[in-house]
Amino acid sequence: SRSGGRPRLPAPAGLLGDPDPEEAVSDDSSRHGGRVRGFPHERGNWATHVYLPYIAQEEFLELLELLVSRARTYVPSLAAMEEFHLSLSQCVVLRYHWIEPFVRSLRERLAAFHRFFCVADQVKVYTNQNKTRTFIGLEVSAGHFQLLELVSEVDGVLEEFDLPTFYKDPSFHISLAWCVGDLSGRLEGLCLRELQDIVDGFEDSAFVLRIQWEQIRCKSGNKYFSFPLR
């Protein structure tokens, strides 16, 4: 037990990672590139996100380098993403003891889904809800229906736990780069058209940006759960 406190209860079985992580207790934005939390950290609250992970191949990274290099002529502070995904939920807060039943419900609802393709080839500029960050992303132009089916099932789980569901008319996309603040005005217009020209003219772009999704993943705090598609 901790000094002066009650003994800690044992963690539920089946959860990997620390039951009471100390990471990110401070909201010092200088420690993570100036990014600002969407909600304050509270002990026992776990930031949770459901998404489709994308493992970038060499050709995709070459395209990324071209796009970020051009976009930096408009916004020099732009930083390329280091990992890539397509979101199926907002970032929501789970209490620790909810994680296991939440993941179990996700697994049951997603078990019947098969692998599928989508095409992400439309450059678009996004900001987060509180306008503290701006993103450049590749929006999905084919495969929207399958993604909506997945979101419907994920939303069903979120509703079971009285959590916010996904956006009503989602723009499914893979984020490529980001910067602090609302700089969408600098990136839209001429910059956006130049970036789309790069995508359209990239060799084998039709092949590079046709993505097969093979698994769904849920990240909750420092824990990762994978749900393979059939």
Side-chain angles (χ1 to χ4, degrees):
S1 65
R2 296 183 177 180
S3 58
R6 296 180 178 178
R8 180 183 293 176
L9 296 174
L15 294 182
L16 303 177
D18 298 327
D20 190 13
E22 302 293 340
E23 82 267 8
V25 171
S26 169
D27 283 339
D28 181 2
S29 64
S30 67
R31 295 174 59 187
H32 35 83
R35 289 172 289 182
V36 178
R37 282 184 181 277
F39 42 80
H41 173 84
E42 292 183 21
R43 191 175 301 280
N45 283 354
W46 290 61
T48 301
H49 178 219
V50 183
Y51 59 96
L52 292 160
Y54 174 59
I55 308 302
Q57 303 300 314
E58 182 178 353
E59 295 85 355
F60 183 88
L61 296 176
E62 290 175 2
L63 175 59
L64 174 70
E65 185 176 354
L66 291 172
L67 292 170
V68 172
S69 178
R70 179 64 61 85
R72 280 178 178 156
T73 65
Y74 293 86
V75 177
S77 61
L78 205 65
M81 304 294 290
E82 297 180 358
E83 296 181 350
F84 306 93
H85 68 267
L86 188 150
S87 292
L88 298 175
S89 79
Q90 300 186 59
C91 188
V92 298
V93 177
L94 274 181
R95 299 296 295 173
Y96 180 74
H97 59 277
W98 290 350
I99 297 174
E100 192 171 27
F102 182 87
V103 170
R104 184 169 58 247
S105 186
L106 273 179
R107 197 175 301 280
E108 291 171 356
R109 282 181 172 264
L110 299 174
F113 281 89
H114 293 260
R115 299 179 183 185
F116 66 98
F117 286 94
C118 76
V119 176
D121 59 359
Q122 299 300 304
V123 186
K124 193 166 181 178
V125 176
Y126 300 88
T127 57
N128 61 354
Q129 285 183 311
N130 52 9
K131 305 291 185 180
T132 58
R133 286 207 285 168
T134 305
F135 299 85
I136 295 174
L138 286 174
E139 186 181 31
V140 168
S141 61
H144 198 81
F145 176 75
Q146 292 93 327
L147 293 169
L148 285 175
E149 286 189 317
L150 286 175
V151 165
S152 177
E153 296 301 329
V154 174
D155 277 353
V157 177
L158 293 166
E159 288 172 345
E160 290 177 25
F161 291 82
D162 198 25
L163 294 170
T165 55
F166 205 40
Y167 307 106
K168 184 176 180 181
D169 296 306
S171 172
F172 294 110
H173 65 278
I174 299 171
S175 291
L176 303 177
W178 68 278
C179 60
V180 173
D182 182 1
L183 299 182
S184 55
R186 297 191 200 175
L187 293 170
E188 291 171 339
L190 179 60
C191 177
L192 191 61
R193 290 194 294 272
E194 290 180 357
L195 297 180
Q196 188 64 57
D197 287 344
I198 291 173
V199 170
D200 294 342
F202 188 73
E203 186 177 3
D204 295 328
S205 64
F207 170 76
V208 173
L209 300 178
R210 185 174 185 263
I211 300 166
Q212 183 180 35
W213 302 112
E214 298 183 352
Q215 64 169 302
I216 301 164
R217 193 170 291 168
C218 175
K219 180 179 186 292
S220 187
N222 61 351
K223 307 177 191 302
Y224 292 84
F225 305 90
S226 180
F227 314 95
L229 296 172
R230 298 172 61 185

